[in-house]
Amino acid sequence: MDKRYDYLIVGSGLSGATFARLALDRGKSVLVIEKRSSLGGNIATSDVMGIPVHLYGPHIFHTDSKEAYVFFTSHVESYPFVNSPLAFYKGKYYHMPFNMNTFHELWGVRSAEEAKRKIDEEVAKEGIEEPHNLEEQALSLVGRTIFETLVKGYTEKQWGRDCRDLPSSIIKRLPLRFTYDNNYFNDPYQCLPKGGYSKLIDNLLSGAEVRLGLDYLSHKDELRPLADKVIYTGALDEYFAYRLGELEWRSLRFETAVLPLASFQNNPVVNYTDKEPSYTRVCEHKMFDERLKPLPYTVVTYEYPDSFEKGKIPYYPINDERNSSLAKSYQELAEKEEGVYFLGRLANYAYFDMDDTILKAMELFASLEGN
């Protein structure tokens, strides 16, 4: 059978869509296979009464890479956005990331020196020299007040385990900022796409042939011969029919409601850091865009951590010793697959920010086609 396409891309999330755009701009023919009934993977958005709703959790584009920023903004109209989430614990709001506003709300301190002294006192009181789990790691970094107020409950909900049963490696550091700055990210480039991320995906895939509702792995025998090269962005272990065992993930579920209110929480994102309620955060979608705030109604989404099983969407890899070793074994198999290239978080069993996703797609394309 003659090859009909230069590239067959499995998955229409940001990884696959970025690679598709790079290939199309080089004059390559591209076929995109998407298992879901809609495009965009986990960055997909939907228009709800004029409000772009993040269907799978809020995504803020942020980067220190000018190359990634230029690529993003050249394919969708964007506007600057600074992410300043709040934390809610036992009836009180706290600013995030951990900064002087947070420390003042916790202890009433006003200067960086007072805050540093308070944190150092709490860390010294714990007396932890070699952390053996996540709880000890966090206590050795920030002390008990910050840990119990802003870390413990959220983390245990997110991972479905007690902090003492989680590896210390999950938290390598907890950034502390001794300024009154609520900007969650340090990156110089931060923005959102006007009208939602699905507009970005549509633009990236313009010119490609797209087939929705089609599972590549169930039709591999008939689809694989269609292209010279396959870019696979699905789950790593699923590609190999779980022959070495299943990789573990954490999943999420969402509940969205339209409310007849001018505002529900007056902030795009609020994290709930106590064990109750069971959701980890609430997103109020119109608060991401100043132009939408005058609307007399709002759309909110409650985000609940969930266990993972086949049929659910995998979100966060569980990078403990067992899964890291298993992923490495699968990656060794992947390297032997002729003409198939594994791209993205699912195919690499890793968590990537959006700019990392774009840059890794660029890197793979350059390795296959040259700059």
Side-chain angles (χ1 to χ4, degrees):
M1 179 186 295
D2 293 335
K3 306 291 186 183
R4 292 175 50 193
Y5 305 92
D6 295 306
Y7 287 102
L8 188 160
I9 299 175
V10 181
S12 67
L14 186 57
S15 292
T18 297
F19 192 96
R21 185 72 264 150
L22 296 169
L24 290 161
D25 287 347
R26 191 67 69 88
K28 303 297 181 180
S29 55
V30 174
L31 170 64
V32 177
I33 302 296
E34 172 54 58
K35 183 163 57 174
R36 302 187 197 183
S37 59
S38 58
L39 300 172
N42 288 355
I43 69 167
T45 52
S46 177
D47 185 286
V48 178
M49 299 172 65
I51 299 173
V53 171
H54 299 237
L55 296 175
Y56 305 101
H59 290 78
I60 316 299
F61 185 80
H62 60 96
T63 186
D64 61 359
S65 166
K66 187 173 183 179
E67 185 179 21
Y69 175 73
V70 168
F71 179 87
F72 185 93
T73 55
S74 65
H75 290 99
V76 70
E77 185 180 356
S78 305
Y79 59 93
F81 178 82
V82 172
N83 189 32
S84 300
L86 295 171
F88 186 80
Y89 179 80
K90 296 191 182 302
K92 294 183 179 180
Y93 286 100
Y94 298 89
H95 283 87
M96 297 181 70
F98 307 149
N99 65 67
M100 284 304 302
N101 287 308
T102 321
F103 307 144
H104 179 73
E105 291 153 356
L106 288 169
W107 299 303
V109 298
R110 300 188 180 209
S111 69
E113 291 72 21
E114 288 179 289
K116 290 176 183 178
R117 185 164 56 248
K118 185 67 178 176
I119 293 168
D120 289 344
E121 288 173 357
E122 291 205 3
V123 168
K125 187 175 181 180
E126 296 299 328
I128 299 170
E129 295 184 4
E130 186 178 345
H132 294 95
N133 54 55
L134 186 147
E135 178 169 316
E136 292 182 356
Q137 174 79 340
L139 291 172
S140 71
L141 292 171
V142 297
R144 190 160 294 275
T145 299
I146 293 176
F147 170 69
E148 292 189 346
T149 306
L150 301 172
V151 178
K152 178 178 170 63
Y154 186 95
T155 303
E156 291 182 344
K157 288 189 291 188
Q158 186 76 4
W159 294 102
R161 303 181 193 178
D162 191 285
C163 283
R164 287 167 289 190
D165 298 325
L166 290 166
S168 59
S169 59
I170 290 180
I171 295 182
K172 294 182 174 62
R173 64 187 185 94
L174 286 170
L176 302 174
R177 300 182 188 172
F178 296 96
T179 61
Y180 289 90
D181 182 3
N182 299 319
N183 185 345
Y184 194 77
F185 302 115
N186 284 318
D187 295 318
Y189 306 108
Q190 303 181 42
C191 63
L192 284 171
K194 185 177 181 181
Y197 282 96
S198 287
K199 290 185 179 294
L200 169 67
I201 296 296
D202 288 343
N203 292 340
L204 292 177
L205 294 179
S206 177
E209 181 180 338
V210 177
R211 301 182 189 179
L212 294 173
L214 182 60
D215 185 349
Y216 172 78
L217 295 178
S218 298
H219 298 83
K220 187 161 60 171
D221 290 344
E222 62 193 78
L223 292 172
R224 177 62 187 92
L226 296 180
D228 292 325
K229 300 180 183 71
V230 171
I231 307 300
Y232 178 79
T233 71
L236 179 60
D237 54 352
E238 187 179 7
Y239 181 89
F240 295 101
Y242 311 102
R243 73 173 73 160
L244 303 179
E246 295 184 24
L247 291 166
E248 296 177 288
W249 297 82
R250 285 290 286 171
S251 189
L252 298 170
R253 63 182 180 88
F254 303 91
E255 294 179 0
T256 297
V258 178
L259 303 176
L261 304 171
S263 177
F264 176 74
Q265 61 191 23
N266 203 34
N267 206 63
V269 179
V270 175
N271 292 355
Y272 285 76
T273 59
D274 203 356
K275 287 189 176 181
E276 295 295 334
S278 57
Y279 45 84
T280 47
R281 57 184 177 180
V282 176
C283 176
E284 185 170 4
H285 300 275
K286 80 173 186 177
M287 292 296 157
F288 286 111
D289 191 337
E290 290 288 338
R291 293 163 294 192
L292 301 178
K293 290 183 179 180
L295 292 173
Y297 52 86
T298 193
V299 182
V300 298
T301 297
Y302 297 82
E303 182 175 314
Y304 295 83
D306 197 9
S307 59
F308 175 74
E309 58 189 42
K310 291 179 185 177
K312 294 181 180 179
I313 298 174
Y315 285 89
Y316 303 108
I318 300 176
N319 291 315
D320 58 16
E321 185 176 346
R322 181 258 179 195
N323 286 292
S324 296
S325 176
L326 183 57
K328 184 177 180 181
S329 296
Y330 273 122
Q331 286 160 358
E332 290 171 356
L333 289 179
E335 290 172 1
K336 298 175 183 176
E337 284 290 293
E338 187 175 350
V340 181
Y341 304 89
F342 292 73
L343 178 67
R345 62 183 188 89
L346 296 179
N348 286 274
Y349 195 67
Y351 182 83
F352 296 141
D353 286 329
M354 285 185 286
D355 61 332
D356 296 324
T357 298
I358 291 170
L359 293 171
K360 287 182 181 298
M362 290 178 169
E363 181 182 345
L364 177 59
F365 183 76
S367 72
L368 296 177
E369 296 288 342
N371 293 319

